[in-house]
Amino acid sequence: MSMNDSRYGIIAELKIQDGKMEEVIGLAQGHFKRQLDGREPNATGAAILKPLADEPNMLRFWEQWKTKEDYDVHAAPNDNLKVFFDSAGPHLDGAPNLIVTPMEHFEKQATPGQKYGILVEVTVKDGKMEDFMKLAREHFQRQLDGREVNATLASISMPNSEHPNTLLFFEQWETQADYDPAHTGSENLKVFFGAAECLFADVSLKEF
């Protein structure tokens, strides 16, 4: 059964030094296991978005907590984050870039392991955010109500004061085939684009 909850989270971009990517991914896996084993009681999810062919040194994280207060405890930093930066910090090429926002979260079945996902940046036309958000919520409810059997979760990173017309979608499926062709050819996506396309100013998509 899908659910829709208010959460708080980040999308982090880390530029990694040449030759250090696999080591940093291993350190990140340990970091997130600790983050979600109960040491951070209100941490709800995390995903490692592995490097793309055209961005071989860029590593991205999607991370989520129940509330901003829970994130603030993590970011203070807590012991787990200190351990990660003490070990991974020397392998970073500059400071991480963080997008920190409230999130709306939709989930059917989130389990550990290798998945396939997309990160979508949407710029909405002026004055159309409320209309667009209604369509996006309906879209993700359908995506996770069983119509897309292997869709696992979706999350909307809400606009901030710096970018009031920009949203980020993080969406996840069990396998690449569940995304394409199953999702890309789905009636659900056709319905969403048919209704929402006129509200877009711009959209970009990355597959992970």
Side-chain angles (χ1 to χ4, degrees):
M1 183 68 180
S2 64
M3 67 178 191
N4 174 201
D5 278 339
S6 295
R7 305 278 178 89
Y8 200 86
I10 65 173
I11 294 172
E13 297 179 331
L14 291 76
K15 189 174 181 182
I16 310 301
Q17 294 177 3
D18 288 343
K20 298 297 184 179
M21 182 61 72
E22 290 306 313
E23 184 174 350
V24 174
I25 288 174
L27 293 169
Q29 289 168 337
H31 170 66
F32 290 132
K33 285 178 182 176
R34 294 189 300 271
Q35 190 161 306
L36 295 163
D37 70 2
R39 294 179 223 199
E40 297 192 30
N42 289 327
T44 56
I48 300 170
L49 284 59
K50 293 186 175 179
L52 302 171
D54 61 349
E55 297 178 303
N57 290 342
M58 182 64 72
L59 187 62
R60 293 176 174 89
F61 301 152
W62 171 86
E63 305 177 52
Q64 193 182 76
W65 294 262
K66 286 187 177 180
T67 69
K68 180 181 184 299
E69 290 73 23
D70 298 320
Y71 167 71
D72 288 343
V73 170
H74 168 86
N78 64 6
D79 288 344
N80 182 35
L81 190 57
K82 287 178 186 176
V83 167
F84 175 70
F85 275 119
D86 285 348
S87 54
H91 306 319
L92 303 185
D93 185 3
N97 178 52
L98 300 182
I99 300 169
V100 185
T101 65
M103 292 179 171
E104 288 197 20
H105 185 71
F106 305 79
E107 182 178 312
K108 180 175 63 177
Q109 51 185 30
T111 56
Q114 189 77 23
K115 310 290 181 181
Y116 198 83
I118 60 174
L119 187 62
V120 186
E121 181 175 308
V122 181
T123 303
V124 179
K125 293 178 180 177
D126 288 342
K128 298 298 184 181
M129 185 60 74
E130 186 175 345
D131 293 340
F132 182 81
M133 281 298 301
K134 179 178 183 294
L135 295 171
R137 291 182 184 112
E138 292 170 352
H139 169 64
F140 290 133
Q141 289 285 0
R142 293 191 300 268
Q143 189 162 306
L144 291 154
D145 70 2
R147 294 178 225 201
E148 296 190 32
V149 177
N150 287 326
T152 60
L153 63 85
S155 183
I156 305 172
S157 296
M158 304 300 289
N160 57 32
S161 58
E162 188 177 349
H163 301 287
N165 291 338
T166 300
L167 298 159
L168 288 168
F169 296 162
F170 174 63
E171 306 174 50
Q172 189 186 78
W173 295 262
E174 291 289 348
T175 69
Q176 183 174 356
D178 296 320
Y179 167 67
D180 185 23
H183 170 75
T184 57
S186 69
E187 184 64 23
N188 178 37
L189 190 59
K190 291 176 187 175
V191 168
F192 176 65
F193 273 122
E197 192 170 16
C198 64
L199 307 179
F200 295 150
D202 192 29
V203 61
S204 64
L205 182 152
K206 298 179 185 292
E207 298 180 34
F208 297 90

